[in-house]
Structures are given as C-alpha cells and as structure tokens.
Amino acid sequence: MENNLESNRREFLKMTGKAGLAAGLSMTALSTFAENHSASGIISGAEEVPYAQQPLPYAYSALESVIDTMTMEIHYSKHAAAYAKNLAEAVKAENVDIEKMKLTSLLGKISKYSVKMRNNGGGHYNHEFFWKSMRSPAELNSPQSAIMKAFIKDFGSFEAFKTQFSDAGKNRFGSGWAWLVKTADGKLVVGSSPNQDNPLMDVSDLKGIPLLGLDVWEHAYYLKYQNRRPDYINAWWNVVDWKVVQQRFDAA
Ligand code: MN3
C-alpha cells in the first residue's frame, strides 16, 4: 500500500512538476490521481450510466396506472435531477476525471470519496437504472427462459423470487432500495440497501451486478399510496421491463 502510494506520488510529481506541491495539492488529489489510473475497481458486466441525467425513456404519464404522473414528474425532474446536479459538483470538487473513470468504477471505490459523492453518485446511478427497468403495462412482457431457469434454480420459483424481493422492499426500514443482483459466483440474490447505496459500492453489505432495483423511498410512492408501501410494491411488478432485466442478466 505504502509502495503503491509512493510510486503513484512519484508519477504524479513527474506529470505536475513541483509547482503542484507548491500550490498545495493535497493527499486527496494524489489519491484521486492514483484511483483514476488504477486498473482495479472496474466492475465488468454492470450496466453503465452516464454522469449526466438522461431523458426519461417515456412520458411522465406512461406508467399512470401504477405510478401517477405527478409522482413521476417530481421524482424525475426534482429528486433525480438534484442527485445528478450534486454528483456533478462532487465530481468537480474531488477531481474525478469522468472521461477516464466510469460511474460504476467510482461506485466500486466509493469509500474513498465524500458522503456527498456516495449519496449523489448512488442516487444518480440508481434512478437512471430504475427508469430503464420499467415500461408501460400496455407493452406486456415476462421473464424469458434463461433468467427464468435462474429464478427456479436460485429461489425455487419465479413467485418465490418475487416474494423475497417484495419482502426486501417492504422490510427495508426508512429510505432505500430493494435489489436483485447476480453475484460473482453467478448466483441470483435478493437484498436491500439503505439511502442511495447500491450493490456496486464497496461499502455495501449486498454486493453484485444489479439486475433490478426498486426505489422504496416515500417520494417514489407517497402521493398515490401514502403509507401503503406494500401496495406500491405489489403494483410495481406490472411495469417491470423483463427484456431489460434479461439483457442485464446476459451481460453480467
Ligand atoms: Mn427516488
């Protein structure tokens, strides 16, 4: 560790010259440099998300029977937009070279960054991932054979998986997310994370490649469901885009 840091320091000085140190570059800047140039921490197989907020892939009203238009509009244009904006600030303040470091890699070593980076990097990633996990109930689809086999192998049945996932969302105390992940040994596992943490983060108890995530913060459902989080979760199954989940499963 010492040696790595020392060689990174030397490489850094070679590139910046002594002016860098004279200008008071901190150890944080040194570590950021080292991290950006490190080959480790790459999370292969995880869906990548650009640092900037992307257009919502459907109209605010598209999922109306499950997620009302006003909730969708406030969720996307206020809550999620704020995570993206605050992430951009943190990235700038902490000298992350976003051309070189993908968001999944940043999340993989989030313990080395600020709480602001953790909350907003997670918040941004999770919401971009969440929007893409849903489609209008009019475009019905269901899990296809490859992932269906995995559900049966790892949970006993598709219904058993859904129950476990729903319970993870219902039992997450306070704000957080329910997740389906593929672990390093290829198993499907269900769990949850607090706040805006996610399974790509080195600080997360649940680790793996996210295949499906459900926002169980009150802002995601309160206008339509008030205190009835279980009703929101049960209805949400009708808008899951299984084609997308299958693609993530194949890529992971
Ligand atoms: Mn949310």
Side-chain angles (χ1 to χ4, degrees):
M1 193 66 197
E2 276 299 307
N3 285 342
N4 280 345
L5 192 59
E6 180 54 29
S7 67
N8 283 324
R9 193 183 74 88
R10 263 186 265 117
E11 198 186 341
F12 184 81
L13 289 177
K14 244 188 280 168
M15 288 184 64
T16 59
K18 285 185 179 153
L21 277 195
L25 279 165
S26 64
M27 284 307 282
T28 307
L30 277 173
S31 332
T32 303
F33 171 83
E35 288 309 322
N36 286 351
H37 291 75
S38 159
S40 65
I42 303 296
I43 298 173
S44 63
E47 183 165 295
E48 205 46 68
V49 160
Y51 280 85
Q53 189 178 35
Q54 303 300 297
L56 194 66
Y58 32 71
Y60 291 137
S61 61
L63 316 181
E64 176 69 35
S65 60
V66 174
I67 299 174
D68 61 285
T69 304
M70 185 179 276
T71 295
M72 187 59 92
E73 179 167 0
I74 295 171
H75 201 176
Y76 174 83
S77 71
K78 306 290 185 204
H79 294 279
Y83 295 124
K85 177 180 165 285
N86 293 331
L87 172 61
E89 288 174 9
V91 152
K92 195 165 177 230
E94 295 170 52
N95 301 308
V96 175
D97 183 347
I98 61 171
E99 299 298 321
K100 293 207 172 80
M101 179 145 58
K102 294 194 180 300
L103 185 53
T104 51
S105 298
L106 177 76
L107 296 174
K109 43 199 164 189
I110 201 70
S111 62
K112 299 185 191 308
Y113 296 90
S114 65
V115 171
K116 179 171 179 172
M117 191 80 85
R118 176 172 170 176
N119 288 340
N120 294 286
H124 173 63
Y125 185 94
N126 295 349
H127 285 85
E128 291 289 315
F129 185 86
F130 183 54
W131 311 135
K132 283 196 274 176
S133 305
M134 300 186 287
R135 45 92 193 135
S136 160
E139 306 152 23
L140 276 178
N141 65 35
S142 53
Q144 298 304 301
S145 59
I147 196 167
M148 201 50 136
K149 273 184 203 156
F151 283 135
I152 292 164
K153 180 171 80 66
D154 294 327
F155 300 96
S157 69
F158 178 55
E159 286 308 314
F161 149 70
K162 278 173 71 179
T163 302
Q164 268 195 44
F165 186 99
S166 296
D167 287 348
K170 290 171 194 169
N171 297 331
R172 165 51 57 187
F173 185 77
S175 298
W177 291 73
W179 297 101
L180 168 68
V181 303
K182 194 170 180 183
T183 61
D185 57 2
K187 254 192 104 181
L188 296 188
V189 170
V190 154
S192 70
S193 63
N195 305 315
Q196 295 295 352
D197 286 358
N198 72 37
L200 295 172
M201 291 181 173
D202 57 354
V203 293
S204 180
D205 290 336
L206 175 72
K207 285 197 181 65
I209 305 292
L211 305 182
L212 185 62
L214 171 60
D215 190 342
V216 296
W217 283 57
E218 281 189 346
H219 69 226
Y221 63 85
Y222 202 82
L223 294 180
K224 188 176 171 79
Y225 300 91
Q226 293 86 46
N227 60 316
R228 302 184 308 278
R229 187 192 285 185
D231 291 357
Y232 157 67
I233 295 174
N234 291 340
W236 179 74
W237 290 112
N238 294 312
V239 291
V240 172
D241 191 336
W242 290 106
K243 275 189 214 150
V244 169
V245 180
Q246 177 74 54
Q247 282 162 14
R248 290 168 179 161
F249 175 81
D250 293 341

